[in-house]
Amino acid sequence: MQSMSKQLALVLSGGGARGALQVGALRALAEANIRPDLLVGTSAGAINAAFVALRGMNQASIETLAWHWRDAAKSEILTSNYVWVTLSSLFNRSGQGAYPRMRDFFIAHGLTPNLCFGDIQGVRLFVVAANLNCGCPIVYGTDPQEPILDSVLASAALPPWVPPIEKDGQLLIDGGVLSNLPVEAALKQGATEIVALDLSDSREVPSNARGWLALIAKLRNMAEQRQMELELALAKARQVPVRRIVLQGEKPVEIWDFGHADALMERGYHIAREEIARWQPDHQPVWPGWLRRLLKMSNANPQKERGTSSQISK
């Protein structure tokens, strides 16, 4: 039975290198003292969510996360030559692609194999991957003994850079294939209010683009958009408010291009701060309103008493 207490979920979508936008948005949320009870992430969003869950939703933690994103640009985790990567995957079925490089990067930056979901304090973390064998999303975080690193690697296993990961009879790939903005997973874990950081950007594939690569990208965008609409509709049907912040660069950014981290983090910060400013009436404490009404009543009473005295004297 789910608790009836309020549970604020921060939902972070996938988006590869565009995940730097979320770092800026997280800084704005921390400045506004918005602290989630749940962190739910897919792919790049899972990476950011795991870091915040382990280090805390504070300025020092987020600044460290920003440094990690800058370092990712130097590490070339995903190569820009995805055509070569695709052909290599087709003809070298035993290859692991970028998996070893990604795993080594995470470990070097603190996400060590010994860390489990049970080690997280003060917030609950859930990571979403997709199981090709059953065509369903897999949500990690309910088992306190589950290693966080394994779940994040599964959630970020994006073909063609990272081949599917075989584990316990499952064939796992990037969670964005089935739930790029995992609102449904947050609802299942008891969220009563959701803030969603959405990295989807259909501009990366121009409408006049042709060819089989453009076709695949358009099909992917269409499926992501449709799934997101269904999950948002589910939240509405359950009367769970979702504040969705759409995070996009000034220009489209490819998911493999980590070279724009600083500009994206700055833009994500300003987009989120402007959006949060629109929420402020909902987040103001109650007592200022009571104080204003009390002052108004006290100012009105003397006038009423003066009017009564005047009438008596007449």
Side-chain angles (χ1 to χ4, degrees):
M1 183 176 180
Q2 294 181 349
S3 170
M4 298 302 292
S5 62
K6 291 184 178 180
Q7 293 288 299
L8 172 62
L10 181 54
V11 172
L12 293 86
S13 84
R18 296 195 293 267
L21 286 158
Q22 290 179 345
V23 180
L26 287 168
R27 179 158 66 94
L29 290 169
E31 284 183 1
N33 200 33
I34 296 173
R35 301 288 188 267
D37 302 292
L38 295 80
L39 284 157
V40 186
T42 291
S43 196
I47 298 168
N48 287 332
F51 187 92
V52 172
L54 288 166
R55 300 291 185 89
M57 185 79 171
N58 55 68
Q59 294 299 327
S61 168
I62 294 165
E63 183 53 42
T64 304
L65 178 59
W67 178 83
H68 293 327
W69 274 91
R70 295 185 189 103
D71 199 38
K74 305 173 187 175
S75 303
E76 296 184 358
I77 295 177
L78 302 180
T79 177
S80 61
N81 194 344
Y82 50 84
V83 176
W84 179 87
V85 172
T86 303
L87 293 174
S88 177
S89 299
L90 289 173
F91 293 103
N92 183 19
R93 296 180 64 185
S94 61
Q96 292 184 299
Y99 178 88
R101 187 162 59 250
M102 189 179 296
R103 187 176 190 276
D104 290 345
F105 181 86
F106 291 159
I107 292 173
H109 289 77
L111 189 54
T112 53
N114 62 304
L115 288 171
C116 298
F117 284 92
D119 295 320
I120 298 171
Q121 303 294 322
V123 68
R124 292 187 291 152
L125 171 67
F126 299 96
V127 172
V128 180
N131 184 358
L132 285 175
N133 286 343
C134 67
C136 60
I138 301 295
V139 180
Y140 295 99
T142 57
D143 180 1
Q145 302 303 318
E146 188 79 39
I148 300 171
L149 176 62
D150 290 351
S151 69
V152 171
L153 285 168
S155 182
L158 178 64
W161 289 275
V162 180
I165 298 171
E166 295 187 38
K167 181 181 179 183
D168 301 328
Q170 300 174 329
L171 197 59
L172 304 171
I173 63 170
D174 189 289
V177 173
L178 289 177
S179 183
N180 198 48
L181 189 67
V183 168
E184 183 180 13
L187 294 172
K188 287 184 176 180
Q189 299 306 323
T192 60
E193 182 181 2
I194 295 172
V195 173
L197 303 183
D198 182 13
L199 299 174
S200 59
D201 191 348
S202 60
R203 300 175 303 164
E204 64 178 319
V205 187
S207 58
N208 60 351
R210 298 293 182 268
W212 66 274
L213 287 176
L215 175 61
I216 292 173
K218 287 181 179 181
L219 287 172
R220 184 197 67 211
N221 288 343
M222 180 177 64
E224 285 183 2
Q225 183 66 28
R226 180 58 176 161
Q227 180 62 30
M228 181 179 65
E229 289 173 356
L230 290 172
E231 295 194 36
L232 291 173
L234 178 62
K236 184 176 181 180
R238 295 188 181 182
Q239 299 182 329
V240 175
V242 179
R243 289 188 169 95
R244 175 173 161 242
I245 305 179
V246 179
L247 299 170
Q248 295 181 347
E250 292 185 6
K251 297 179 180 179
V253 176
E254 299 283 0
I255 59 176
W256 46 260
D257 188 0
F258 288 81
H260 308 280
D262 278 311
L264 291 177
M265 286 188 283
E266 190 65 20
R267 182 167 174 82
Y269 171 74
H270 288 293
I271 291 174
R273 193 170 71 165
E274 289 178 5
E275 189 66 26
I276 292 168
R278 299 188 184 99
W279 309 344
Q280 289 307 309
D282 296 335
H283 288 278
Q284 292 295 331
V286 175
W287 64 265
W290 284 101
L291 181 60
R292 284 193 295 271
R293 284 192 289 272
L294 182 61
L295 290 172
K296 186 176 180 180
M297 290 174 61
S298 63
N299 290 334
N301 286 338
Q303 294 176 1
K304 184 177 180 180
E305 291 175 2
R306 285 195 297 269
T308 303
S309 299
S310 175
Q311 290 173 4
I312 292 173
S313 63
K314 288 180 181 179

